[in-house]
Amino acid sequence: MIAVEQWQKDIKESIDDVETLEKMLGVPAEEVREIVEQYPMRITPHVFKLIREKGDSIWKQVVPTAEEDHPDAACDSEDPLHEEKDSPVPNLVHRYPDRVLLVITNQCPIYCRFCTRKRFVGSPGTLTPENLKQVVDYISAHTEIRDIILSGGDPLMVVDMLLERVLKALRAIPHLEIIRIGTRVPGTLPSRITENLCNMLKKYHPLYMNLHFNHPDEITPEVAKACGMLADAGIPLGSQTVLLEGVNDDPEVMKRLMQKLLSIRVKPYYIYQADLVKGTHHFRTRVEKGLKIISALRGHTSGMAVPHYVIDAPGGGGKVAILPQDTLLYLDDDQAIVKNYEEKTFKYSQPNVPKEVNKDAASFWVVPHDTD
């Protein structure tokens, strides 16, 4: 008989029906029943303990609301990133030249109310041996692919044996250099990070993980321990954060999150502008807020704590980095004029290169500036 692990018990004890939600958090069942039928809910015991009051930053991420049913012309697509269009074989997305994304399960430890894959997460579905063979055959035939991201759902929601089956098959492809795992498990189901899991994962290096965190309250001692175990297994850890209205759209909150992530050995990697996903309009912020946050981070904390701020372009355009436009004020053959976090300007002299050699000179847009 296979022993049930603690993380599997935690999943069984999660809030996943509207009657339990009403009992535990006081949300009237009938107000959200239809929402949960369309978009599943799961709140692990760990995340439940983090909720301090109704409507706080943890509550908003996991508790369903009738707002998810409100129409919005801008958020009318179930697949705004055109992942299905860019899927050459089932479960695989090939958008960028040298890397692919593999969905190995539809299950997650929690169901974020703003999820970009809201259209299918929570439904039955795990990568089958037949699907895996198709994926391996496709990657083997495309030698330009050197990097794969395991996603979902959440890859760490499958048991060790099944996850290793996938990793082993991928590691057998000679030109596939990098394996990455995108997961929210360490922050929402830390009991899943076990010694057995870590011992298995470190057999498949180079292996990287991008962890999903949105608020500093998510960084608890249990989470720090889980991340430490992964880091001790030699896995470089990065973070991905979604900019969310009323959750983290504040420079000080975001700075505390990034600093706390570094303290648990997680390097901030991305802040995402919320995707245009059906049922998520109430989480969207204006792009100006994201730029304000990046400006508030740069120079005011370690550069290690400053992630890339990106928009995953609708229609399958891929990630586009968004930067404050007022740092490079002027650029010509002789000098660059830059502005720092204190609003002070500085001149940087260019090396002397003949114009016919400087092929990059015309490729930059420059803000007009008085150089005197």
Side-chain angles (χ1 to χ4, degrees):
M1 183 176 179
I2 300 176
V4 177
E5 297 189 66
Q6 182 59 50
W7 69 272
Q8 294 169 313
K9 296 177 182 178
D10 289 342
I11 287 295
K12 288 186 177 182
E13 293 173 4
S14 297
I15 300 172
D16 59 8
D17 64 86
V18 294
E19 285 75 22
T20 305
L21 182 68
E22 181 170 22
K23 178 182 177 182
M24 302 298 290
L25 289 174
V27 178
E30 294 309 314
E31 285 188 8
V32 294
R33 187 180 301 278
E34 291 186 6
I35 296 294
V36 173
E37 288 175 356
Q38 184 175 6
Y39 304 122
M41 166 188 61
R42 181 183 285 145
I43 306 172
T44 60
H46 175 82
V47 172
F48 175 76
K49 290 188 298 183
L50 300 183
I51 297 174
R52 297 176 180 176
E53 60 183 8
K54 180 179 180 179
D56 70 13
S57 295
I58 307 300
W59 175 295
K60 287 181 178 179
Q61 295 183 62
V62 296
V63 176
T65 170
E67 287 187 278
E68 295 175 48
D69 196 36
H70 291 177
D72 185 319
C75 300
D76 61 354
S77 175
E78 293 187 344
D79 183 21
L81 305 182
H82 284 199
E83 291 183 324
E84 293 175 11
K85 182 179 179 181
D86 291 331
S87 180
V89 296
N91 300 84
L92 193 72
V93 179
H94 190 181
R95 173 172 299 139
Y96 300 100
D98 70 337
R99 54 203 183 277
V100 291
L101 179 145
L102 175 61
V103 174
I104 71 170
T105 180
N106 295 343
Q107 298 298 304
C108 292
I110 62 172
Y111 293 114
C112 303
R113 309 320 299 174
F114 50 86
C115 181
T116 196
R117 299 191 184 118
K118 200 162 179 158
R119 65 191 184 275
F120 67 74
V121 291
S123 61
T126 298
L127 189 70
T128 66
E130 293 76 19
N131 294 149
L132 179 58
K133 183 179 185 306
Q134 287 179 291
V135 166
V136 169
D137 288 346
Y138 179 86
I139 297 174
S140 297
H142 289 76
T143 56
E144 73 275 16
I145 298 173
R146 54 174 295 277
D147 185 346
I148 188 168
I149 303 170
L150 306 188
S151 188
D154 196 305
L156 298 188
M157 287 294 288
V158 302
V159 297
D160 294 359
M161 180 185 67
L162 294 181
L163 180 58
E164 183 164 24
R165 180 184 298 168
V166 175
L167 293 172
K168 187 174 182 179
L170 295 174
R171 267 286 157 253
I173 303 173
H175 58 270
L176 190 63
E177 301 171 12
I178 304 297
I179 297 177
R180 290 186 275 170
I181 295 176
T183 177
R184 197 162 190 192
V185 157
T188 61
L189 186 65
S191 57
R192 174 67 182 101
I193 309 304
T194 63
E195 184 177 344
N196 287 340
L197 174 66
C198 292
N199 287 336
M200 182 273 287
L201 291 173
K202 66 184 181 183
K203 293 190 293 184
Y204 297 97
H205 283 309
L207 182 70
Y208 296 77
M209 278 194 184
N210 281 334
L211 316 181
H212 185 164
F213 291 97
N214 291 324
H215 193 274
D217 287 352
E218 297 171 26
I219 313 300
T220 67
E222 298 94 334
V223 171
K225 179 182 177 182
C227 292
M229 291 174 67
L230 292 169
D232 286 345
I235 302 171
L237 305 177
S239 74
Q240 300 188 154
T241 296
V242 183
L243 183 58
L244 301 168
E245 176 73 31
V247 173
N248 57 18
D249 58 333
D250 175 270
E252 283 303 312
V253 169
M254 198 66 85
K255 183 166 74 171
R256 283 195 292 118
L257 172 60
M258 299 305 151
Q259 291 172 337
K260 279 194 167 187
L261 286 169
L262 284 179
S263 75
I264 62 168
R265 304 161 72 180
V266 178
K267 171 68 176 71
Y269 182 40
Y270 278 141
I271 293 177
Y272 282 100
Q273 183 70 9
D275 292 329
L276 303 178
V277 185
K278 184 178 180 181
T280 68
H281 67 98
H282 51 297
F283 285 107
R284 294 176 62 219
T285 67
R286 293 188 60 83
V287 174
E288 292 90 335
K289 276 195 175 181
L291 290 170
K292 181 180 179 181
I293 286 170
I294 294 298
S295 294
L297 290 174
R298 294 169 69 176
H300 295 274
T301 190
S302 164
M304 291 180 64
V306 184
H308 300 288
Y309 172 43
V310 298
I311 292 176
D312 211 338
K319 299 176 185 67
V320 180
I322 309 298
L323 300 170
Q325 295 181 353
D326 59 352
T327 53
L328 177 62
L329 302 179
Y330 183 81
L331 180 67
D332 64 16
D333 289 334
D334 300 317
Q335 65 181 343
I337 299 179
V338 298
K339 183 170 68 173
N340 76 349
Y341 74 103
E342 297 173 307
E343 303 292 320
K344 296 178 181 179
T345 59
F346 302 86
K347 294 180 181 180
Y348 175 86
S349 297
Q350 296 263 52
N352 293 322
V353 178
K355 289 185 178 180
E356 62 271 16
V357 176
N358 187 11
K359 298 178 182 180
D360 296 326
S363 65
F364 294 96
W365 175 77
V366 180
V367 179
H369 186 266
D370 185 355
T371 60
D372 295 333

